[in-house]
Amino acid sequence: MIRDQGLLSKIWRFAVWAVVGLFVLNLLAVIVVVIINSFSTRWLGTWLPAGWTTRWYFSAWKEFQLGSIVLVTFQIAFAVVLISGLIGVMTAYALARRDFPGKRAIILMFLLPLLIPPLTYGIPLATLLYKMGFGGTFWGAVLINLVPSVPFVVLVMIPFVEQIDPRIEAAARVFGAGTTSLFIRVLFPLLLPGMLAALLLVLVRTVAMFELTFLIAGPTTQTLVVSLYYAVFASGVRASQSIDAMAVVYMVTTLIWLVLALQFVSPTQIVARAKQQ
Amino acid sequence: MSAPGNERTGSERMGRERMGSREGGVSFRARLAARGIDGTTLLVLPGLLLMLLLFIYPFAYGIADSLSPAEGPWYANYAKFFGDPFQSRTIAATLWLALPVTLVNLALAVPIAFRVRLMKRQRLLTTILVLPITLGTVFVADGLLTFLGPRGWFNHTLIGLGILDSPVKLTNNYWGVFASLLITGFPFSFLLVLSYVTGIDPAIEHAAATLGAGPRRRFWHIFLPLLVPGLAVTFCLAFVQAYAVFPSAVLLGAPSGPTRVISIAAYQAAFEQSDHAYGTAIAIIMGGVELVIVAGVLALRSLFYSGPVAGTKG
C-alpha cells in the first residue's frame, strides 16, 4: 500500500475521516437516542432527560404483550431457519457439485428474489396465501419468509461446498462410507462453519424482515418488527418511551444473533458474499 | 464447478448394476449421469419445487390476476394506474428519492473505502456500520423521529453551535426519508465497495506508482476502470434497496404527499382497498420499472473493462 505525504493528500485524508466520523456519530446517536428515551421519565428539548426509570419496560411488556410477540417472532424465525437450512443446503450441494442442463436458469431463479422488491412478489403471494386460508397464520408467515431465505442460504452455501475437495468424499467412499455416514461424518463437519454463518444470518434477516411479514401477519402472528411499526405508526396513542422500550427489546433480540454471526463471518461478508455472483 | 470424474463413474457404475444392464450397453441412467443428472442432482428438487410453488407460481398468478380486471379490457388495471396522476406520479416520487440517495451513497462510499482499505483494524468500523443494516428501516425510522425531530439532538446541536437560529423540519417530509435511506444505504454500499476495492491486487497500484503516476492519476486511470463493474453491481443492489422503501416512507415521510412512493400505492390498493388485482398490477409495474433501470446500468457496465483484478503470478 502506498501512502502519500503531500499537503493536499493530508487535507483530503482529513476530510474523508471527518465524513466518516460525522456519519458514525450520527448513526450511534440515532441508536443511543432510542435507548435513552426508553429509560427517561420525561425528555423534551434538553440534552438529557429529566430523570431515569425502568418502568416503561414493564408497561411496554404488558401493553404490547411483548412476551407472546417475542415468542412468536422466534417461533417463526426458527421455523424459517430450519426449513431454509435443510432445503438450501441440499440445493446448494447439488448446484455446486453437478453440471446439468437448466442449471443456469435455476441459479437465476434463486437470484431473482434478491433482486426484485419484496412487495412485488409479496403482494401476489400474500393474495394467494389469503385465498388458501394461510392469512394471519403462523405457517403463512413462515412460507412468505422462505422466499428470500432459501435463495439466500443457497447462494451463501454454494462457495462453501465448492471449497470442499471432492476427493475427500471419494476417499470416504473408498473406505466404505455409505451416503448417510458420508453426509453425517464427512460433509456435515466440513460444512458446519458455513452453515452456522448462513443460518444465523437468515435468523437475523427474518427477525428484521418487515415488508413480507407485514403483508401476512394477523393479530396473533405479529413479529416484533411488525408490532414496532404499528406502534410507531400510531404514535401519540402511547407514550414514546413505551414504544422505544419495545424498540430496545427488538434491538437486543436482533443484535444477539448478529454478535453470534460475526464470530463466523466478517461484517463485509454479510453484504458481499451472498451478493457477489 | 467441475463435477469430479471419479464420482461420476462411481454413480454410473452403481446405476448400471441396479438396472442390471451390464451386457445391454449403456443404460438410460448412465446416460443421464453422463449429462450430470444422478442422485446428487436430485437434491436440487426440494428447493426447485419450493421456489416454483412460492415464487414462480404466485408471480404468474399475479400477472394473470392483474390482467383480468373486474370490468373493462384486459389492460384496465394498468390503464387505471397510468391514467390517475395521483397513482402514476408515485413512480417519479420513488425515483426522486431512490436515485439521488443511491448516487450520494456511492459517491461517499468510494473515497471512504479507499481510505479504510489502508486501515489495519477495520473490524470495529465495519461492525458499527453493519448495525443499521441489521436493525432495519423500522427501527432506524423510530430513532430518527426522535433524533431529527424539532427538539432532537440534531437540531439541538446545530442551534447550540450557532449554525441555525430555529430548528429545521427534517421529519415527516422528503428529508426524513432521505436521511433514513442514507443511514441504512450508505453502510450497505460502503461494505460492498470495500469488498471490491480490497479485491484489487495492490501490486497493480505499485506498478503505476513506479511508472510515476500520482494519487489522482492512479485513481482515475488504474483503480476506477477496474472498479467500474463492481460499482455497477453495487449501484444496482443499493438502488434495489432504496427503491423498495416502504416503512420509513410512511413513518418518516409524508405518505400522502411527496414521499407517497409506489410501494405505498401498491400496498394501499391491495390491502386497504382490497383490490388485489389492482394492487398486484402496481406491484408488477414497480418491479418492471426497477428491472429496466437495473438492466440499463448493467448494460452500461458491459461497455467497460471486465476482467481479472488480481495480478497474475509468474
Side-chain angles (χ1 to χ4, degrees), chain A:
Chain A
M1 303 287 170
I2 303 166
R3 285 167 195 272
D4 301 295
Q5 295 303 331
L7 179 67
L8 267 178
S9 326
K10 273 186 187 151
I11 296 174
W12 173 245
R13 207 176 305 164
F14 177 77
V16 170
W17 285 124
V19 172
V20 176
L22 266 179
F23 186 87
V24 170
L25 207 66
N26 279 286
L27 166 59
L28 292 178
V30 169
I31 297 172
V32 169
V33 155
V34 174
I35 301 175
I36 292 183
N37 196 30
S38 72
F39 284 111
S40 70
T41 49
R42 218 174 68 92
W43 191 19
L44 283 172
T46 46
W47 280 111
L48 287 173
W52 305 91
T53 174
T54 52
R55 72 186 164 95
W56 299 111
Y57 284 86
F58 298 103
S59 71
W61 196 270
K62 244 189 275 162
E63 234 181 310
F64 297 114
Q65 292 164 321
L66 281 186
S68 64
I69 291 179
V70 171
L71 188 69
V72 165
T73 306
F74 281 131
Q75 283 172 339
I76 292 176
F78 279 111
V80 170
V81 164
L82 270 181
I83 299 172
S84 60
L86 199 69
I87 294 180
V89 171
M90 275 162 68
T91 312
Y93 185 77
L95 287 175
R97 283 285 188 251
R98 291 288 182 273
D99 268 315
F100 51 89
K103 184 172 148 178
R104 287 177 65 97
I106 291 179
I107 289 189
L108 181 72
M109 190 176 75
F110 282 110
L111 269 173
L112 269 181
L114 305 175
L115 269 182
I116 57 180
L119 279 182
T120 298
Y121 60 81
I123 287 179
L125 177 57
T127 311
L128 212 63
L129 289 174
Y130 269 105
K131 271 201 177 150
M132 291 160 69
F134 281 113
T137 63
F138 173 79
W139 286 108
V142 171
L143 285 176
I144 205 165
N145 271 300
L146 284 177
V147 179
S149 307
V150 170
F152 182 82
V153 175
V154 170
L155 295 176
V156 172
M157 287 311 291
I158 284 179
F160 274 108
V161 178
E162 276 172 351
Q163 76 190 14
I164 295 177
D165 194 334
R167 282 175 300 186
I168 296 175
E169 290 165 44
R173 289 265 189 220
V174 168
F175 288 115
T179 308
T180 326
S181 61
L182 176 77
F183 257 94
I184 294 175
R185 296 173 65 176
V186 179
L187 282 176
F188 187 71
L190 285 171
L191 283 176
L192 197 61
M195 273 166 62
L196 276 176
L199 296 184
L200 282 168
L201 290 178
V202 166
L203 192 62
V204 172
R205 289 163 64 102
T206 312
V207 171
M209 170 49 81
F210 170 74
E211 281 92 344
L212 295 174
T213 319
F214 176 63
L215 293 183
I216 198 88
T220 57
T221 50
Q222 272 179 24
T223 58
L224 259 172
V225 69
V226 176
S227 306
L228 181 63
Y229 171 85
Y230 281 122
V232 180
F233 186 71
S235 62
V237 179
R238 291 193 175 84
S240 71
Q241 293 96 322
S242 194
I243 297 170
D244 281 346
M246 172 148 94
V248 171
V249 172
Y250 162 75
M251 182 175 89
V252 170
T253 53
T254 319
L255 292 190
I256 294 173
W257 307 109
L258 177 69
V259 169
L260 275 178
L262 287 178
Q263 310 299 315
F264 301 99
V265 285
S266 83
T268 329
Q269 284 170 313
I270 289 181
V271 236
R273 165 156 293 143
K275 311 275 182 164
Q276 264 179 12
Q277 273 289 313

Side-chain angles (χ1 to χ4, degrees), chain A residues 119-128 131 215, chain B residues 57-68 77-78 81 262-263 265-271 273-288:
Chain A
L119 279 182
T120 298
Y121 60 81
I123 287 179
L125 177 57
T127 311
L128 212 63
K131 271 201 177 150
L215 293 183
Chain B
Y57 171 66
F59 214 85
Y61 170 86
I63 291 177
D65 192 24
S66 70
L67 290 177
S68 46
N77 279 321
Y78 292 88
F81 179 83
I262 191 164
S263 43
Y267 174 76
Q268 283 180 342
F271 294 97
Q273 297 150 19
S274 320
D275 187 350
H276 50 83
Y278 189 38
T280 307
I282 301 177
I284 285 167
I285 293 169
M286 176 180 173

Side-chain angles (χ1 to χ4, degrees), chain A residues 2, chain B residues 205-213:
Chain A
I2 303 166
Chain B
E205 188 190 8
H206 281 286
T210 310
L211 294 172

